[in-house]
Amino acid sequence: MKKSSMKAYGEFLAIIAVIGIGMFLFYRSAAFWGELLQNRNKVQFYLEQSINGQEAAEILRRDEEFKEEGDREKSGAISGFCIWGEKKQVTLTNGNLSRSAETDVILFYGDIELLFEGCRVPARDDAKGCLVDEQMAWELFGDSQITGKEISCEGIPYIIRRVIPGEKKIAVFSAGGMIDQASGVQGGLNPGKRQEEQTQENHSCLSRITVLKPEGISMNDLKSALSSQYGVTAELLDLQLLRGVGGFFVLLVPVIVCVFVLRYFYQRYKKQQEWVWKAVMAAAGLILLLLSLFLIKQWVQIPYDYIPEKWSDFTFWTELWKEKADGMECLIKIQKSILDLEWINSLFKSIILGVLAGVFFVAGIILLNHNEYNVD
């Protein structure tokens, strides 16, 4: 029995709504995955034993020697260095307004732009400069236009060089600058201790290394360079694998749509009586398949670390599986910094929204199959 026009119209609107929601969720999932891709040329390492500013300075001194010698092969093709760490629950004070706020502080040695895109201050040797994000600026000053104003960190004055975007409530200092500043304060941060002990206690929190990875260099090569050339033993944080996981779930919707359309062409192919129309349906399905494979090839890039030197080397896959499993275990176990919240947030949102988008598209396809507007 034919459905009433009103009911059919309502079902049609329901299908449009379901598919529309699926498209929106897919767009948001792809956007969060895109945030993960923004840092794909940066590789992070984790130091099980934190180092202090003097040790970080020594590593960067070696890197400067490599640059001066022009020996980039010896340096393992590492073209950018940032050694950093996080100090929890540090109090910042605005003495002029008698305001204070407790926050997590990022200490760094090296290229700050590797942590905050487009930010080139404070310099490594800037003993008086710092960064704050927008949330911290509002809490301390009630305004975000505060470049050049002064705050105090643990009793030491600093000048705000720039306000960075974000609401994570963080402040950023040069580790070398903090050491120099602390060395110049009479009595140190705690008068009951010797100055050397205070410096060691307050700045031995550098546990991460972020490096810039040139094209064609594997992450394992960078890890080997850290060990052999810089004397640094560090665990690789395999964010590359997480980007791949996020990309898999983003691809769910294009794959579902492709399968549905190919199925439609196949059904039309079987129902056609004339060979001309059969050829048209077959050609349309083949073109769609080739186009989908081309797009997936452009989207999916296989890292060098995933390609064996010899395809007959079956032990490679076993070792790769173990390596990735160990890498995931390390990512789960390490203490997360406030900067890690960015990739954690982007990863989980890309996965969750990708799955939901796939569910809505499947629901839309099921509704189409049971509706008279579905082409027979």
Side-chain angles (χ1 to χ4, degrees):
M1 181 178 179
K2 189 175 181 179
K3 299 178 181 178
S4 67
S5 59
M6 185 63 71
K7 182 178 180 181
Y9 181 69
E11 291 179 352
F12 176 74
L13 290 180
I15 293 172
I16 295 299
V18 169
I19 294 178
I21 293 173
M23 292 180 66
F24 174 75
L25 293 173
F26 169 69
Y27 166 76
R28 294 301 299 159
S29 175
F32 284 114
W33 184 62
E35 292 178 2
L36 288 174
L37 291 183
Q38 288 179 358
N39 295 319
R40 59 184 171 184
N41 62 333
K42 300 172 186 176
V43 181
Q44 285 195 37
F45 294 91
Y46 173 73
L47 301 172
E48 292 186 2
Q49 185 65 41
S50 300
I51 62 176
N52 57 36
Q54 285 84 0
E55 293 169 311
E58 175 61 23
I59 295 173
L60 291 178
R61 185 189 62 78
R62 295 181 188 177
D63 188 55
E64 290 296 330
E65 290 179 354
F66 292 142
K67 290 180 180 178
E68 291 175 1
E69 295 170 0
D71 194 354
R72 299 313 303 168
E73 292 184 1
K74 185 177 180 181
S75 65
I78 296 176
S79 55
F81 245 115
C82 186
I83 305 172
W84 59 281
E86 184 181 58
K87 240 184 125 177
K88 298 285 188 181
Q89 299 179 340
V90 177
T91 300
L92 302 184
T93 304
N94 176 0
N96 293 329
L97 298 178
S98 299
R99 290 186 177 185
S100 64
E102 195 173 79
T103 183
D104 294 331
V105 164
I106 300 296
L107 300 177
F108 77 96
Y109 239 109
D111 187 358
I112 186 62
E113 198 170 3
L114 289 176
L115 299 185
F116 303 98
E117 194 73 30
C119 185
R120 299 181 180 180
V121 292
R124 186 198 313 174
D125 56 352
D126 188 348
K128 296 183 178 181
C130 70
L131 305 173
V132 295
D133 69 357
E134 293 171 327
Q135 180 65 30
M136 181 55 61
W138 278 100
E139 290 200 18
L140 290 176
F141 292 88
D143 190 6
S144 60
Q145 306 299 319
I146 59 171
T147 300
K149 295 188 177 182
E150 183 178 287
I151 60 172
S152 296
C153 177
E154 298 183 325
I156 303 173
Y158 293 92
I159 303 299
I160 297 172
R161 303 300 187 198
R162 182 174 173 178
V163 177
I164 55 178
E167 299 180 353
K168 293 186 287 292
K169 194 179 174 182
I170 61 173
V172 183
F173 299 85
S174 167
M178 286 199 89
I179 293 174
D180 293 339
Q181 284 275 71
S183 300
V185 175
Q186 293 296 327
L189 299 178
N190 186 336
K193 295 184 178 181
R194 290 187 300 108
Q195 186 170 313
E196 182 179 352
E197 293 175 345
Q198 294 158 21
T199 301
Q200 179 75 11
E201 176 183 327
N202 285 279
H203 301 95
S204 294
C205 62
L206 305 178
S207 60
R208 300 289 188 89
I209 299 179
T210 300
V211 302
L212 195 61
K213 184 180 82 66
E215 290 292 333
I217 301 297
S218 72
M219 295 192 297
N220 287 331
D221 289 340
L222 294 177
K223 182 177 179 179
S224 299
L226 283 176
S227 176
S228 61
Q229 304 299 333
Y230 298 91
V232 176
T233 302
E235 291 294 329
L236 174 67
L237 299 183
D238 200 352
L239 300 183
Q240 178 179 258
L241 177 60
L242 298 185
R243 287 191 288 269
V245 172
F248 170 81
F249 285 95
V250 173
L251 277 174
L252 281 178
V253 169
V255 169
I256 289 172
V257 172
C258 182
V259 170
F260 170 69
V261 176
L262 285 174
R263 177 175 173 270
Y264 168 78
F265 282 134
Y266 178 68
Q267 290 176 339
R268 292 290 154 289
Y269 172 83
K270 290 197 303 182
K271 291 184 178 181
Q272 297 298 329
Q273 301 298 324
E274 299 181 8
W275 67 269
V276 174
W277 289 110
K278 281 183 174 291
V280 169
M281 293 297 105
L286 181 61
I287 291 173
L288 175 63
L289 181 61
L290 293 175
L291 181 62
S292 300
L293 292 175
F294 174 77
L295 292 176
I296 290 176
K297 181 182 177 182
Q298 299 300 312
W299 196 328
V300 179
Q301 297 182 354
I302 301 177
Y304 292 96
D305 299 326
Y306 290 66
I307 302 176
E309 295 182 0
K310 296 181 179 179
W311 289 101
S312 58
D313 183 11
F314 297 107
T315 59
F316 171 84
W317 306 107
T318 304
E319 294 173 356
L320 180 64
W321 175 265
K322 184 178 184 305
E323 177 185 322
K324 298 305 173 184
D326 292 342
M328 287 298 296
E329 183 180 0
C330 179
L331 274 171
I332 293 172
K333 287 184 176 181
I334 65 170
Q335 183 177 2
K336 306 299 188 297
S337 75
I338 195 166
L339 296 185
D340 290 324
L341 297 180
E342 294 182 4
W343 64 259
I344 292 173
N345 176 69
S346 298
L347 173 66
F348 281 98
K349 285 186 177 180
S350 67
I351 292 175
I352 293 171
L353 294 178
V355 171
L356 289 176
V359 170
F360 273 91
F361 267 92
V362 170
I365 291 171
I366 293 175
L367 289 174
L368 279 172
N369 287 335
H370 291 83
N371 190 278
E372 63 181 349
Y373 291 101
N374 186 27
V375 181
D376 293 327

